[in-house]
Amino acid sequence: MIDTKNQWQKGFPQLEIQPDMIHVWRCSLDLPSANLENLLGILQPDEFERAKKFYFEKDRNRFIAARSILRSILGLYLNENPDQIKIGYTSFGKPVLVPGSYFQNLHFNLSHSENLALLAIASEGNVGIDIEQIRYDLDIEALASRFFSKEEICVLEKMDAEKKKEVFFQLWTRKEAFLKATGKGLSFPMEHCDVSSADNRNFSPVIIPITDISDQSNWYVMDLEPAKEYMAAIASDRPNMLISLWDYSFNP
Amino acid sequence: MSEEEIKKTIFQLLKRIAPETEPSELMPEENIREALNIDSFDALQFIVAISEKLKVEIPEEDYGKTTNLKSLVSYIQNKTK
């Protein structure tokens, strides 16, 4: 459930996150170039190497901004300098805080698309988030027939052409948020999970064949409204989490 | 299908989803998604295109075996033998 009517708030929440809460931060990634120079010092060597590999400067700068903002926000919660935050990776590549490094374990997940990033932070439960800017160059029929469940394809087929794109991206972000929350990413057969019945008011269950998730967890997904022309969703393994939405102004 | 033919098709398909990049400059063991900054949509569009063009289905559990040019070519060669 969203704690206010899906409104993004300025300022800062209480930085001790209650067990039933998820904080979602919305951040712009297009920062002035002077700021970007300062940010390079926050990145760790592996992030620096990754940044160097981007083909386009715009993508490199957004990656640098996203990682720096992630470190800065985590630093606020953990009372630690951004460059000291210890981020590791699970065997499936999901970024996590290195276990045992902090008095308080935080679960986080970051997603960015074009110039907008969303970061979800919780003190309890796994969390996944996805944001996508609506694109008009995708063959959505081909993608849906390969990666959507029957129920999702059914929902899509009922839409007129204009609405179809929007609904496709909404379904897609729900699925990606779920896959990111499980930590399995694209290695999970996307068409096996059904998220056709979620909405933007409450967490709804993700329907998964029992055989597909070995740990038998239940997963829940909810839509977010990040900005015009963007779709987003958040997933958790806790059904009744309260979400608060925050706008982050970056001042390195 | 020869290694060169497979590579040529891969480059064509990558160029279609990342038109401003030069897929032919990929190093054999470089991570394709990272090098060309391919997001999850484009990665999955690429998987669909491979299946249409080369008639090779890459199931989810094999994505990890096709992350660079060398492993992808070898995967396709094995599947088209």
Side-chain angles (χ1 to χ4, degrees):
Chain A
M1 197 186 347
I2 303 262
D3 73 338
T4 57
K5 203 173 171 247
N6 223 344
Q7 273 182 3
W8 297 88
Q9 306 167 69
K10 306 262 180 230
F12 285 97
Q14 188 188 346
L15 291 175
E16 192 180 322
I17 307 182
Q18 299 304 308
D20 62 345
M21 284 217 76
I22 302 175
H23 291 173
V24 176
W25 291 90
R26 177 175 69 174
C27 330
S28 165
L29 297 178
D30 285 342
L31 304 176
S33 53
N35 285 0
L36 282 164
E37 287 295 315
N38 296 337
L39 295 181
L40 287 172
I42 296 180
L43 299 190
Q44 292 308 288
D46 63 315
E47 295 166 326
F48 195 72
E49 285 306 309
R50 172 87 182 87
K52 280 203 300 197
K53 286 184 182 165
F54 279 95
Y55 205 86
F56 298 110
E57 191 180 2
K58 183 181 75 177
D59 295 328
R60 179 167 53 248
N61 290 345
R62 285 174 175 168
F63 172 80
I64 293 169
R67 294 303 289 221
S68 310
I69 290 169
L70 167 67
R71 289 182 163 281
S72 299
I73 295 179
L74 288 174
L76 291 173
Y77 287 91
L78 297 166
N79 196 22
E80 178 73 279
N81 288 331
D83 60 338
Q84 297 297 313
I85 301 288
K86 295 182 178 66
I87 295 174
Y89 298 89
T90 66
S91 57
F92 285 99
K94 184 180 182 182
V96 290
L97 288 175
V98 173
S101 304
Y102 301 97
F103 62 94
Q104 177 195 12
N105 191 27
L106 288 181
H107 299 265
F108 69 90
N109 199 234
L110 173 72
S111 174
H112 49 100
S113 177
E114 293 300 314
N115 71 333
L116 213 53
L118 293 182
L119 170 63
I121 301 187
S123 62
E124 299 277 341
N126 291 297
V127 65
I129 197 162
D130 189 54
I131 178 169
E132 302 288 348
Q133 187 182 49
I134 294 176
R135 283 171 51 172
Y136 295 91
D137 60 338
L138 292 179
D139 182 353
I140 61 171
E141 267 80 19
L143 284 168
S145 69
R146 169 74 175 77
F147 300 107
F148 278 16
S149 70
K150 282 192 196 114
E151 293 79 4
E152 291 160 351
I153 291 172
C154 204
V155 168
L156 211 54
E157 280 171 349
K158 286 183 195 146
M159 302 292 153
D160 60 45
E162 202 177 319
K163 189 80 182 152
K164 198 177 253 187
K165 210 112 209 172
E166 226 171 80
V167 173
F168 171 84
F169 277 87
Q170 193 65 73
L171 290 165
W172 188 280
T173 55
R174 290 176 194 166
K175 288 166 96 71
E176 280 234 354
F178 157 66
L179 296 177
K180 291 177 77 190
T182 65
K184 298 195 172 157
L186 294 179
S187 66
F188 182 89
M190 280 184 110
E191 66 278 19
H192 287 198
C193 68
D194 173 29
V195 292
S196 56
S197 62
D199 60 47
N200 64 356
R201 294 180 300 278
N202 292 296
F203 274 108
S204 304
V206 178
I207 313 296
I208 325 156
I210 289 169
T211 46
D212 277 351
I213 292 275
S214 53
D215 63 6
Q216 307 287 304
S217 304
N218 292 316
W219 296 90
Y220 305 87
V221 69
M222 188 170 90
D223 297 338
L224 298 172
E225 293 169 4
K228 198 166 183 289
E229 290 289 300
Y230 285 84
M231 292 290 171
I234 185 163
S236 168
D237 52 3
R238 310 287 163 104
N240 299 314
M241 298 295 265
L242 198 60
I243 293 185
S244 67
L245 306 169
W246 298 89
D247 256 324
Y248 187 66
S249 305
F250 193 49
N251 295 304
Chain B
M1 193 179 245
S2 74
E3 186 179 330
E4 279 316 303
E5 285 170 322
I6 294 173
K7 272 191 191 167
K8 200 175 153 194
T9 308
I10 290 173
F11 294 152
Q12 280 171 354
L13 299 178
L14 286 172
K15 190 81 182 164
R16 207 188 293 164
I17 60 167
E20 294 167 77
T21 64
E22 282 306 330
S24 57
E25 290 174 7
L26 277 168
M27 303 297 285
E29 298 192 8
E30 202 170 13
N31 183 298
I32 298 173
R33 277 188 67 182
E34 283 186 11
L36 304 180
N37 192 29
I38 292 174
D39 67 13
S40 54
F41 277 114
D42 288 331
L44 295 180
Q45 288 211 105
F46 180 62
I47 300 278
V48 171
I50 291 270
S51 113
E52 282 170 359
K53 191 90 179 172
L54 295 172
K55 310 291 174 223
V56 172
E57 293 290 341
I58 308 177
E60 283 84 355
E61 62 266 27
D62 288 348
Y63 290 173
K65 298 177 191 167
T66 57
T67 53
N68 62 46
L69 193 57
K70 191 177 160 190
S71 61
L72 176 60
V73 170
S74 137
Y75 185 90
I76 292 169
Q77 274 181 319
N78 283 332
K79 289 269 187 161
T80 50
K81 263 180 192 168

